[in-house]
Amino acid sequence: MGTRNLEKMASIDAQLRLLAPRKVSEDDKLVEYDALLLDRFLDILQDLHGEDIRETVQECYELSAEYERKLDPQKLEELGKVLMSLDAGDSIVVAKSFAHMLNLANLAEEVQIAYRRRNKLKKGDFADEASATTESDIEETLKRLVLQLKKSPLEVFDALKNQTVDLVLTAHPTQSVRRSLLQKHGRIRNCLTQLYAKDITPDDKQELDEALQREIQAAFRTDEIRRTPPTPQDEMRAGMSYFHETIWKGVPKFLRRVDTALKNMGIHERVPYNAPLIQFSSWMGGDRDGNPRVTPEVTRDVCLLARMMAANLYFSQIEDLMFELSMWRCSDELRARANQLHQSSRRDAKHYIEFWKQIPPNEPYRVILGDVRDKLYHTRERARHLLSNGMSDIPEEATFTDVEQFLEPLELCYRSLCACGDRPIADGSLLDFLRQVSTFGLSLVRLDIRQESDRHTDVIDAITRHLEIGSYREWSEQRRQEWLLSELSGKRPLFGPDLPKTEEIADVLDTFHVISELPSDNFGAYIISMATAPSDVLAVELLQRECRVMQPLRVVPLFEKLADLEAAPAALARLFSIDWYRNRINGKQEVMIGYSDSGKDAGRFSAAWQLYKAQEELVKVAKKYGVKLTMFHGRGGTVGRGGGPTHLAILSQPPDTINGSLRVTVQGEVIEQSFGEEHLCFRTLQRFTAATLEHGMHPPVSPKPEWRALMDEMAVVATKEYRSIVFQEPRFVEYFRLATPETEYGRMNIGSRPSKRKPSGGIESLRAIPWIFAWTQTRFHLPVWLGFGAAFKDVLQKDIKNLNMLKEMYNQWPFFRVTIDLVEMVFAKGDPGIAALYDRLLVSKDLWPFGEHLRAIYEETKSLLLQIAGHKDLLEGDPYLKQRLRLRDAYITTLNMSQAYTLKRIRDPSYAVKERPHLSKEIMESSTSKPQTAELVKLNPTSEYAPGLEDTLILTMKGIAAGMQNTG
């Protein structure tokens, strides 16, 4: 018995080694990490569910691995037979095991990446970093700017302290892993890192190994499926947890590193604490576009919750600061203030743990900070009362209401320490604290509000009808503008409480009222989606005034469909030509461009090119009117929705479009990849800061006129090809619904937003996220590559010389290179053989030729792409990624097979299956009456499908999403 087990063990190790035959570099420990986590997991699986299930899991893994090596469809048949013979409980256990093994493989990768990074830093070796496309070390960037590009250190310092990166966290429904699991994953990562540390004792090793097993088991025993959809408040709390965990401490730590990098370059000044290098905003609880669950009340809750959290975070640090600043020497200015405070407060505060007695005047800093502490305490409690009962008996005067009030006593302490020769002390925790206050303010993040332009039109229409001057909706753009401007210049209120309101109109107006009631530092921008004309922007300006918003939010139009992007520059020019508006904006305008919908509308190739051109044009318009333009990029996490490595994405933007101010959305699962852990948070802040600086000081090349002409030519062909298949092929929607799990996607309970804009309807009404998610599941990725092949083929047939021009574009023009590289990465993750299997099982026979046709286009596109990139194999320029994908694929294949067969059983209840006897044994079988696998089947009592099928399906979806990483 034992020997057989050993053979089995060895075999899985051997499979891993066969998949990744050689080390990519000396410090490559990936296979080792992977094998360790797998061994531990399989032992746990055997302890919990018995040997038979472990053997089944290994058999599936081996068949997948063999399929991945030889791409032999025969192996898929065998794998299918194994999976089909499992009963409901067993198939849940197997799907869960593979999803879990993939999560472990991802953790092994993260540890390996961090390990390589540390090794390089120790050796000071950045030799291949310059060519590595995804890293930007802040110190390297500064050195490169000064040494290679001959900028003076002062120029660089100036540019750096005047730039801003604003990261906007959005709760897009793509974070498919629950927070309960994310925390366990973090602990597994830490155990694995420590196990391989150099100076570890045998006892430590044993305890760490136990901890590792405990966490792996705890994660496996947690239900991965959200049984209820999250509310917007849940999404907001999940997003805010990253501030607690990493961002709060991460920002001052990162800014210290920037100081160090400046010092090493000969600049002996620190980045001023009020330099807005990094800012954070949020859409969670503010984004109401197509999400009826985000009500005005939700927006109010979210703002108060963030204020309470911010005050609490400061409060938890202020006592440490009081401990630290125990000095008695201080400036006269500070002493006078301390004496004044000391005389006014003559009581002990018993509700504090430290410093509860009245602080003696010979500790002046503590007296000042004690007063700050009182105010923070009241600020937190007042927010808490308002949140829970809507009122508070703490007067507003006892709290901090704006950041200036909060900064003032801290600045006083800083000045005083410097004046008394204690600058090194001032530059310790006090500086960190000042930087936190400058970054997070009293509101932690600024909330953006997003609403569809149509909803504003409805409100204004109701007003004009009520005033009996006609229907605003039917007026021409010219007439709308004239009326809005005359009202904006006038003083009279437009409507009273007697305005007849539908629920939807009340909702829009109440949102404006919430904005007017809460402190203005809670809010960022008011974003109008589906904006097309200047009146869309003026309407929001008027509504803000009508609802008495004292400090109106900046209004940001969002352009996302292809036609809107083309028309955007003209719309902006019309807006800037209105005198009233130009006076209102004070020389600054923000414009948001959307990546998802433009991609769904015309395919990735044309969308990318149109976004590039639109940005160039918008910048020209802004320059003409003397306005500083900030671009707000709405990128998703996936390539299909504009995602990809940060550094590359920023450096491939057109010249002059960033100018030291960048706003980017960080969506869904990307938040976890960017801020899930301390070193990830540090790396994210570093990448954004370094790339933004580099783009401003060393802009990428502008494309040559002949490159542009070629791009324009190709974009026309690409759009035509994409639309001819997606929108004009009469049976495309039917094929899409059959060949992918799109119909079943809504059951995943990922986000608080419905997956469709309108319940009926075709591709147009489907949100961009499920559209991409569904194609990612079958590993066919159609929306990413469709159109590329036709475009390349067309220009190469016209003139073979174009091949050299395309190669030149790939080698010299960052934008083109990034576009091609990202698609190449997606091909490396794709597998048409798997997609063919879904077709065979799920698609009606008369649609098979259509699927074959699409797969032929896939192959042709892939070979043309490789030709242009000058690669023989996919990813030959990135061996690390290639190795990681190979190790991941074997797990994903089993999940794909399980998913395809489960979909078959869900959609065709008459599909006959011969089940083997139940395999999974339980440890507790004697003591309890029924095995746990039966319990697993009962976790979902309301399913309309046969027992266990829905859970198996959801587990495969989550597993594949984890394996593909840039899910949807």
Side-chain angles (χ1 to χ4, degrees), residues 569-758:
L572 203 62
R574 291 209 302 278
L575 193 57
F576 289 157
S577 60
I578 299 169
D579 295 337
W580 181 90
Y581 187 74
R582 267 213 321 289
N583 295 335
R584 151 86 178 87
I585 57 172
N586 198 2
K588 287 197 195 74
Q589 174 71 43
E590 186 179 312
V591 171
M592 180 167 183
I593 49 177
Y595 288 60
S596 304
D597 280 347
S598 50
K600 196 182 81 182
D601 183 38
R604 185 83 188 91
F605 185 91
S606 312
W609 179 228
Q610 193 52 55
L611 282 159
Y612 188 93
K613 291 198 298 190
Q615 287 189 69
E616 291 184 312
E617 292 302 314
L618 288 166
V619 167
K620 275 187 201 149
V621 169
K623 273 196 179 146
K624 182 179 155 194
Y625 287 96
V627 175
K628 180 172 160 64
L629 193 65
T630 294
M631 287 292 178
F632 180 8
H633 299 264
R635 329 171 27 204
T638 45
V639 178
R641 295 185 29 253
T646 306
H647 179 73
L648 276 183
I650 294 176
L651 291 181
S652 67
Q653 298 304 324
D656 277 353
T657 51
I658 294 182
N659 276 333
S661 64
L662 176 70
R663 237 185 150 219
V664 190
T665 54
V666 184
Q667 300 187 353
E669 82 282 13
V670 185
I671 299 180
E672 168 63 21
Q673 290 159 20
S674 307
F675 298 108
E677 226 198 325
E678 266 180 46
H679 81 266
L680 294 176
C681 170
F682 184 84
R683 224 167 61 190
T684 302
L685 299 179
Q686 172 160 276
R687 275 178 189 173
F688 275 107
T689 304
T692 303
L693 181 68
E694 186 171 342
H695 187 282
M697 298 203 76
H698 178 53
V701 293
S702 257
K704 300 178 181 173
E706 59 267 32
W707 294 355
R708 283 177 186 279
L710 197 61
M711 285 299 288
D712 286 335
E713 227 176 291
M714 292 196 296
V716 174
V717 181
T719 305
K720 192 171 154 223
E721 161 95 343
Y722 179 88
R723 287 183 175 162
S724 74
I725 286 181
V726 174
F727 294 105
Q728 281 132 22
E729 178 62 53
R731 299 187 65 185
F732 178 78
V733 176
E734 181 191 353
Y735 174 78
F736 168 58
R737 300 251 148 97
L738 289 171
T740 69
E742 187 266 323
T743 330
E744 291 79 3
Y745 162 83
R747 311 188 163 272
M748 276 183 65
N749 281 335
I750 293 186
S752 67
R753 184 168 84 165
S755 62
K756 283 192 163 173
R757 286 193 160 88
K758 299 187 181 63

